[in-house]
Amino acid sequence: MSENANPGRVYLVGAGPGDPELLTLRAARLLMAARIVVHDGLVDPSILAMAHRDARLISVAKRRAYHSVPQDEICALLVREALAGRDVVRLKGGDPFVFGRGGEEAEACHAAGVPVEIVPGISAANAAGAAAAIPLTHRDHASIVSFVAGQCKGLSEQDWTGLAGVGRTLVIYMGVKTAPQIAEKLMADGLSPEMPVAVIENAARADMRVLRGSLAGLPGMVEDEKVRSPALIVIGEVTRDHADVPLVAMATGMA
């Protein structure tokens, strides 16, 4: 393939939590105009349906322990299409720079001389908190928020000391399969077994579920309720159930 003297641009676009109503205007406009859309598996079909009718949709879906397309091949795909003079929308669930590997893809494009634009999206943590009426910060309960990945290699060796506890909220991405290790790790670090937790499955979608319990009961709750990804675990006082707080449907996806 010969390289074009005027390479196309790669747009790393955050698709948000799944509801098309929660896309940014910039994301929606790019998607409707794009001729090439490289998308993750968690991007909702209703969002993909917004793409231009002539767009080529390329799925690079990832699942735990299985990648349909390895990350280095995804990067190579983006670079290849751009160097051929074509603009590419790289559509990612949530936000490209929050556990989305957007940094790796941007670096690969920059190294190849391909211009990149980052279009942020509503991250899973923000969407889950809002949809479940769980404030990640609260003057009475939490002034610090931490995001961690729950399925990284060497989970038991990672130092999470001080990330959860009084005045703090801990949001765990990709922690469904490792919930037992997560609970054990945090309690071993001194966190109370009675610390309240919430598990938010399919945040801001029509089939969203919000499960509440304690840190010690987290593994059993995930197993008994058959929680499936995408789901986030939120740990902290902000997750206590407040029955007097009404939960209003977010956007049209939950109407």
Side-chain angles (χ1 to χ4, degrees), residues 105-141:
E105 293 171 7
E107 290 168 0
C109 290
H110 287 313
V114 171
V116 178
E117 179 181 327
I118 313 301
V119 181
I122 297 177
S123 71
N126 293 95
I134 295 174
L136 299 184
T137 64
H138 190 292
R139 284 201 303 168
D140 295 333
H141 305 301

Side-chain angles (χ1 to χ4, degrees), residues 115-202:
V116 178
E117 179 181 327
I118 313 301
V119 181
I122 297 177
S123 71
N126 293 95
I134 295 174
L136 299 184
T137 64
H138 190 292
R139 284 201 303 168
D140 295 333
H141 305 301
S143 59
I144 297 173
V145 182
S146 298
F147 298 159
V148 298
Q151 69 173 42
C152 292
K153 294 180 179 179
L155 177 62
S156 59
E157 286 75 37
Q158 291 184 31
D159 184 5
W160 288 6
T161 305
L163 295 185
V166 177
R168 298 169 183 265
T169 301
L170 178 62
V171 181
I172 302 172
Y173 287 65
M174 302 170 286
V176 170
K177 296 296 184 181
T178 55
Q181 295 94 318
I182 288 170
E184 180 181 359
K185 177 182 184 64
L186 290 172
M187 289 188 290
D189 285 342
L191 203 59
S192 169
E194 301 304 315
M195 174 64 71
V197 305
V199 178
I200 307 169
E201 182 184 72
N202 293 317

